[in-house]
Amino acid sequence: QVQLQESGPGLVKPSQTVSLTCTVSGGSITNNYYYWTWIRQSPGKGLDWMGAIDLNGDTVYSPSLKSRTSIWRDTSKNQFTLQLRDVTPEDTAVYFCARGRFRRQWSSVYFGSWGQGTQVTVSS
């Protein structure tokens, strides 16, 4: 039922800041305890977890990206936003937003709902 959709610029130049917004429909980002998450995939690489925000607005970030990353939310629009600063060509990737749920059964977070992804290319 829940749907997620990413939006933002597809092409940015090195050193710029990119902001991507995830719009959530069919469920509130403050209603249940989910981890509203940003994940990216670079060409030829696996999924790279970037960070997340929970229903209370608390955030957590990948240590490798923490200095350049911010995540916030707009509860009135049911959206959450990723900001990645000082980008380089290595940041070129498909960026996904996803909903994660902690599962006590296997002590893991399960990402059951994903957006379709949006391509971000960093090039001069």
Side-chain angles (χ1 to χ4, degrees):
Q1 182 179 1
V2 66
Q3 292 184 322
L4 293 78
Q5 182 174 320
E6 305 89 346
S7 63
L11 180 64
V12 294
K13 295 186 292 186
S15 80
Q16 290 186 329
T17 295
V18 61
S19 293
L20 304 175
T21 296
C22 183
T23 300
V24 179
S25 60
S28 173
I29 63 173
T30 61
N31 182 243
N32 294 302
Y33 203 90
Y34 295 108
Y35 299 98
W36 302 99
T37 305
W38 286 100
I39 300 167
R40 67 181 182 180
Q41 185 170 30
S42 300
K45 298 182 179 180
L47 299 174
D48 183 13
W49 180 88
M50 302 182 70
I53 188 168
D54 70 9
L55 83 172
N56 296 316
D58 296 322
T59 55
V60 62
Y61 303 106
S62 170
S64 65
L65 298 170
K66 182 170 61 178
S67 66
R68 299 193 291 130
T69 305
S70 296
I71 298 174
W72 64 87
R73 63 182 183 168
D74 185 337
T75 57
S76 68
K77 297 180 179 179
N78 215 41
Q79 296 175 332
F80 61 104
T81 295
L82 168 74
Q83 183 187 79
L84 184 63
R85 300 176 290 273
D86 300 320
V87 298
T88 73
E90 287 68 43
D91 293 312
T92 294
V94 177
Y95 286 73
F96 299 91
C97 56
R99 185 180 73 174
R101 184 78 167 94
F102 179 73
R103 296 299 187 184
R104 181 159 47 92
Q105 180 180 8
W106 52 80
S107 300
S108 300
V109 176
Y110 174 65
F111 297 101
S113 298
W114 296 67
Q116 64 180 348
T118 186
Q119 174 72 43
V120 176
T121 300
V122 181
S123 177
S124 60

